[in-house]
Amino acid sequence: SFRTISVMEEEGDVAYAFNQYHLISAPVVDEHDRLVGVITIDDAMAVLDEEHEEDVLRLAGVGEESSISDGVIETVRQRTPWLFVNLLTANLAAFVISRFAGTIEAIVALAALMPIVASMGGNAGTQSLAVAVRALATKDLTESNAGRVIRREAAVGAINGVVFAIVMAGVGWIFFGSWTLGAVIGAALIINLIVAALAGVLVPLALDRFDLDPALASGTFVTTMTDVVGFFAFLGLATLVLL
């Protein structure tokens, strides 16, 4: 394949072109289509590796410039803003829980089971998110195939939800002597795993649409959604069914 590279193109776009079109080298031209240099596959792959490394660091909320050699103050400066955002979203989840304080007081077992719903949702959301952010970076996830990917993730979330709902129904009966309690947490898991799978794709797609970095901001939003929805579904169902 033959393709020219403009000096104005982003590094990531150039690396993507090399990977997509299996280029070995490509001429670089200026705005007047005059040859100013050549890019080889070694240069492009080095940039692609850097892009992947940046995405991993951003997903962790530690910034693309983070290094093991950074000082204490610099490391705090990079991490504190996202921890603060996470603190705000955690308070939102705490507010949801506080609305059901009476339910938790009446059925103490709910307090022991709540972390399961949140943890499962968070992990499922992170799985979908990692795949979606990677696919956006490589341009494998686009508007043309987004619908198919969203339907697939919803189906995966539903199937996983049903599987773990059955498991938790057994846990409710064996450890708490209540099939009903198991059914409630099972239903909450189905709801939360579907929401988690959808959020893992829809959140980075939405951020990308608004020209925001999906790798940097998605994790906080996905975690918030799975925590809030998970607690609300579990405690709400418990209030309706068990009281």
Side-chain angles (χ1 to χ4, degrees):
S1 300
F2 178 79
R3 187 184 190 277
T4 58
I5 303 295
S6 168
V7 292
M8 304 302 293
E9 283 193 55
E10 294 284 342
E11 283 185 340
D13 293 337
V14 174
Y16 169 75
F18 268 76
N19 188 51
Q20 182 73 9
Y21 301 110
H22 308 293
L23 302 176
I24 301 300
S25 63
V28 180
V29 297
D30 62 16
E31 59 271 22
H32 302 294
D33 285 334
R34 293 179 298 201
L35 182 67
V36 295
V38 175
I39 294 179
T40 65
I41 190 171
D42 292 342
D43 300 322
M45 291 305 101
V47 170
L48 203 60
D49 287 342
E50 290 175 4
E51 293 280 323
H52 292 166
E53 181 180 340
E54 289 174 5
D55 284 346
V56 170
L57 291 172
R58 288 169 177 169
L59 274 173
V62 296
E64 62 189 75
E65 303 298 329
S66 295
S67 168
I68 196 69
S69 60
D70 289 343
V72 172
I73 300 302
E74 178 63 17
T75 302
V76 169
R77 185 188 66 80
Q78 292 169 351
R79 300 183 187 182
T80 299
W82 291 105
L83 288 174
F84 181 73
V85 172
N86 191 72
L87 179 64
L88 294 178
T89 58
N91 274 278
L92 180 60
F95 174 77
V96 171
I97 294 173
S98 71
R99 299 298 89 190
F100 295 95
T103 303
I104 297 172
E105 289 176 2
I107 309 171
V108 179
L110 296 177
L113 294 171
M114 279 195 307
I116 296 174
V117 179
S119 176
M120 291 294 290
N123 285 331
T126 299
Q127 289 175 340
S128 294
L129 179 60
V131 172
V133 169
R134 174 76 175 84
L136 281 170
T138 59
K139 294 181 170 53
D140 290 329
L141 177 56
T142 62
E143 289 186 4
S144 61
N145 67 357
R148 178 180 60 81
V149 174
I150 291 169
R151 288 192 296 273
R152 185 198 70 179
E153 290 300 320
V156 170
I159 292 171
N160 280 335
V162 170
V163 169
F164 292 112
I166 294 171
V167 172
M168 289 311 300
V171 170
W173 178 61
I174 294 171
F175 292 100
F176 298 98
S178 172
W179 277 107
T180 313
L181 178 60
V184 166
I185 191 173
L189 278 174
I190 293 174
I191 294 169
N192 206 25
L193 289 183
I194 292 174
V195 169
L198 290 174
V201 178
L202 291 174
V203 168
L205 276 173
L207 292 174
D208 187 61
R209 171 66 69 87
F210 289 105
D211 292 326
L212 299 173
D213 189 346
L216 187 58
S218 295
T220 299
F221 290 113
V222 171
T223 301
T224 300
M225 291 180 69
T226 56
D227 283 352
V228 171
V229 171
F231 289 138
F232 184 80
F234 181 45
L235 296 175
L237 287 171
T239 303
L240 291 174
V241 176
L242 301 177
L243 292 185

